[in-house]
């Protein structure tokens, strides 16, 4: 009877049926996409192969592209802006896309990683493609690759390669006027580098990251990043240290392309007063300058015949009309502030020592302003995690002067039950490794802050087929098994948005609850979430429900 009643009600409301079908279909697509993730057991082997024969990666990418019916020639019609760098490349792309969208162009924007839903990686006019479009185009590409894998004697492309092919397919089908393409890792052998004729290229700030793939020195990394240079295609870079800058200049000469250093943003502002940006933080000013140069160069090319040799560019362009797009650019998870009543969250996906320095500078300025206007006790909380080969201890050392009252660590797992969370599943690292890293981070923090580690059963990490629901504690540090349990403990029911999300309450021991008394009594709780964009994305799933809708 009740089963029949459900179907009868659904028949009365076709909108509910459609929404349910779309949700199920997109989940099926994302689950199929997740099968292309590299299992942790073979990830090391893949990284070894990548470092041994990196040039074969692009050859394989061209093969995958051909199997979907696309060719490298077709990509030339996307009028691409190609951007790489160690930090700030995503923000640069976001500024660039918004500037050109404000000129009335239909924009495509491909970025990584996503924060909450995988559709965020592929945007049309600044918005993630709809669930319907994602599902439609996903199966078009997936089915073609799946149908041809045996006859070609090769398997399916890995996760990021597939999404890159899907982005190209979407942008061509949706007839965008231009595509802003953010490099995944490096440049020379990144799968986005099958692009042959971008209209302009950009390099944001360089630093040390992904050393197992790109090399251990800043010069090696600069060489990899400069791999996106193409003969005759203008390149702009922000100011770099002398050693990487020399590498970029040498590569530009060797490849035969003009390379310019962007002016400071202040140079654009004479007579117009200080320029405010939609993205907070001093480091965003050089990203905005790079975006202005990329946009202006693209516009010059667009207004001329389309022949690259006709681009009348002899120096960086300073006489630019300052785009209002800079002021309204949004790029969630990067120097982002969310105020939820007495709890304020500061979110920044910094995951290198360079970007963490910028994060600390931004947070210190923000917190000083916030606390100066507050009457009553303020509690500072750090919520931290890292992934991959990042130097957690070095980043924590940079964070230690911020004087946090609590340091909370958790893996990039949103909640214990992950069946309905396909977008944020990660098969590249085991749960045991994730939780062990959290405990290592906790020990690093304790050694920095001088707190003593309690001995005994609390220091043991026990995983018996499922995630534990009880927090492990050390004085002013905590390790929680998932993001939701960490947020619930930090907010202590004082965040109305988190409480209204309808997530199940995850219980903790009474002793853990007792330790949260300062959080319940403080006039203001300031929470810095950093160390990993995946962590920030998991947090935003609960704090900004619009991203998950």
């Amino acid at each position: 009877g009740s089963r029949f009643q459900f179907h009868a009600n659904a028949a009365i409301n076709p909108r509910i049926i459609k929404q349910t079908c779309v949700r199920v279909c997109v989940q099926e697509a994302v689950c199929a996409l997740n099968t292309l993730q590299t299992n942790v057991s073979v990830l090391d082997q893949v990284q070894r192969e990548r470092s041994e024969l990196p040039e074969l990666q692009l050859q394989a990418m061209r093969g995958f592209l051909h199997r979907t019916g696309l060719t490298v020639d077709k990509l030339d019609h996307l009028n691409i802006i190609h951007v790489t760098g160690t930090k700030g490349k995503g923000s640069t792309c976001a500024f660039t896309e918004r500037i050109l969208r404000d000129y009335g162009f239909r924009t495509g924007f491909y970025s990584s990683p996503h924060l909450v839903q995988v559709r965020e990686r592929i945007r049309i006019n600044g918005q993630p493609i709809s669930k319907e479009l994602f599902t439609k185009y996903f199966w078009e590409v997936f089915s073609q690759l799946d149908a041809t894998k045996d006859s070609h004697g090769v398997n399916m492309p890995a996760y990021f390669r597939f999404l890159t092919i899907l982005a190209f397919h979407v942008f061509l089908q949706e007839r965008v006027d231009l595509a802003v393409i953010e490099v995944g890792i490096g440049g020379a052998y990144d799968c986005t580098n099958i692009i042959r004729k971008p209209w302009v290229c950009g390099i944001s700030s360089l630093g040390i990251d992904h050393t197992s793939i790109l090399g251990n020195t800043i010069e090696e990394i600069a060489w990899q990043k400069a791999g996106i240079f193409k003969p005759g295609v203008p390149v702009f870079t922000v100011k770099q240290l002398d050693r990487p800058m020399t590498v970029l200049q040498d590569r530009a000469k060797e490849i035969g392309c003009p390379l310019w250093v962007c002016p400071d943003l202040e140079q654009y502002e004479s007579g117009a007063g200080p320029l405010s940006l939609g993205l907070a933080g001093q480091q965003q000013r050089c990203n905005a300058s790079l975006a202005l140069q990329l946009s202006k160069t693209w516009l010059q090319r667009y207004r001329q015949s389309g022949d690259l040799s006709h681009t009348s560019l002899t120096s960086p362009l300073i006489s630019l009309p300052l785009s209002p797009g800079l002021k309204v650019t949004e790029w969630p998870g990067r120097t982002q502030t969310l105020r939820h009543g007495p709890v304020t969250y500061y979110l920044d996906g910094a995951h290198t020592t360079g970007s963490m320095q910028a994060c600390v500078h931004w947070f210190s300025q923000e917190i000083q302003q916030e606390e100066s206007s507050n009457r009553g006790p303020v509690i500072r909380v750090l919520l931290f995690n890292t992934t991959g080969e990042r130097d957690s201890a070095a980043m924590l050392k940079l964070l230690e002067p911020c004087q946090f009252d609590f340091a909370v660590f958790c893996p990039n797992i949103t909640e214990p039950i992950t069946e309905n969370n396909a977008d944020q599943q990660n098969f590249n690292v085991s749960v045991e490794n994730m939780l062990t890293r959290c405990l290592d981070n906790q020990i690093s923090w304790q050694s920095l802050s001088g707190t003593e580690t309690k001995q005994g059963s609390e220091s043991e990490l026990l995983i018996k087929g499922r995630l534990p629901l009880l927090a492990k504690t050390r004085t002013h540090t905590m390790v929680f098994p998932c993001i939701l349990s960490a947020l619930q403990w930090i907010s202590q029911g004082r965040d109305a948005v988190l409480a209204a999300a309808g997530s199940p309450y995850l219980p903790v021991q009474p002793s853990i609850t007792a330790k949260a008394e300062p959080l319940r009594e403080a006039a203001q709780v300031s929470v810095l979430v950093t160390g990993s964009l995946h962590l920030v994305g998991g947090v935003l799933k609960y704090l900004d429900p619009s991203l998950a809708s």
Side-chain angles (χ1 to χ4, degrees), residues 139-421:
W139 289 116
E140 284 179 3
V141 173
F142 191 93
S143 300
Q144 283 180 297
L145 287 166
D146 192 54
T148 55
K149 64 182 180 182
D150 291 330
S151 61
H152 285 76
V154 286
N155 292 318
M156 299 288 283
Y159 187 89
F160 183 76
R161 276 188 194 168
F162 179 90
L163 285 170
T164 304
I165 295 166
L166 178 60
F168 290 144
H169 178 68
V170 169
F171 296 154
L172 287 166
Q173 292 297 313
E174 290 295 307
R175 299 183 180 277
V176 298
D177 296 314
L178 70 130
V180 181
I181 305 293
E182 179 191 358
V183 167
I185 294 176
Y189 305 120
D190 184 74
C191 63
T192 65
N193 206 30
I194 56 167
I195 299 164
R196 296 184 316 170
K197 296 179 180 178
W199 278 20
V200 62
C201 296
I203 297 192
S204 65
S205 183
L206 297 179
I208 302 292
D209 198 16
H210 299 293
T211 52
S212 64
I213 296 170
L214 303 181
N216 295 310
T217 68
I218 192 74
E219 291 91 344
E220 288 177 298
I221 289 169
W223 189 94
Q224 291 279 354
K225 304 289 184 184
I228 70 166
F229 295 179
K230 302 296 185 296
V233 175
V235 181
F236 289 90
T237 178
V238 302
K239 291 177 180 175
Q240 309 284 359
L241 296 172
D242 290 345
R243 290 184 299 153
M245 182 59 82
T246 299
V247 174
L248 296 182
Q249 290 167 339
D250 290 346
R251 288 279 271 160
K253 262 187 220 170
E254 174 192 334
I255 291 167
C257 60
L259 170 68
W260 288 290
V261 180
C262 296
D264 293 334
L265 199 58
E266 287 68 27
Q267 290 183 249
Y268 304 94
E269 298 172 11
S270 56
L275 179 66
S276 64
L277 303 177
L279 305 183
Q282 186 65 29
Q283 74 278 17
Q284 296 295 356
R285 299 186 74 75
C286 63
N287 298 332
S289 177
L290 177 55
L292 283 167
Q293 297 299 328
L294 295 174
S295 302
K296 181 66 173 183
T297 306
W298 190 93
L299 285 166
Q300 275 201 332
R301 170 80 186 268
Y302 177 79
R303 287 167 178 163
Q304 292 161 352
S305 66
D307 181 352
L308 197 63
S309 64
H310 291 176
T311 305
S312 56
L313 198 63
T314 57
S315 64
L317 302 139
I318 295 176
S319 57
L320 293 176
L322 291 177
S323 168
L326 291 174
K327 192 172 183 177
V328 292
T329 298
E330 294 179 354
W331 195 227
R334 289 80 169 179
T335 58
Q336 181 183 8
T337 303
L338 290 176
R339 291 180 173 85
H340 291 184
V343 187
T344 301
Y345 301 91
Y346 300 89
L347 304 110
D348 189 62
H351 52 271
T352 67
T353 52
S355 56
M356 190 58 74
Q357 284 173 326
C359 170
V360 167
H361 180 73
W362 162 71
F363 176 70
S364 300
Q365 286 190 321
E366 293 288 315
I367 204 81
Q368 193 173 5
Q369 274 186 311
E370 187 81 24
E371 292 180 2
S372 64
S373 61
N374 219 300
R375 295 180 180 177
V378 178
I379 295 293
R380 296 183 185 183
V381 182
L382 171 66
L383 179 57
F384 181 87
N385 190 41
T386 52
T387 60
E389 59 198 20
R390 271 83 192 207
D391 189 344
S392 302
M395 283 190 273
L396 289 170
K397 189 173 182 178
L398 293 170
L399 287 160
E400 199 269 333
C402 292
Q403 298 180 314
F404 294 102
D405 299 286
F406 293 96
V408 178
F409 305 95
C410 69
N412 296 341
I413 300 169
T414 51
E415 54 193 82
I417 301 167
T418 56
E419 282 85 347
N420 297 320
N421 195 35

Side-chain angles (χ1 to χ4, degrees), residues 53-74:
L53 296 169
E55 64 278 3
L56 295 183
Q57 304 302 311
L58 292 179
Q59 185 179 323
M61 184 66 181
R62 282 188 283 270
F64 289 127
L65 200 68
H66 180 71
R67 283 166 53 193
T68 64
L70 292 176
T71 63
V72 178
D73 292 350
K74 288 181 181 176

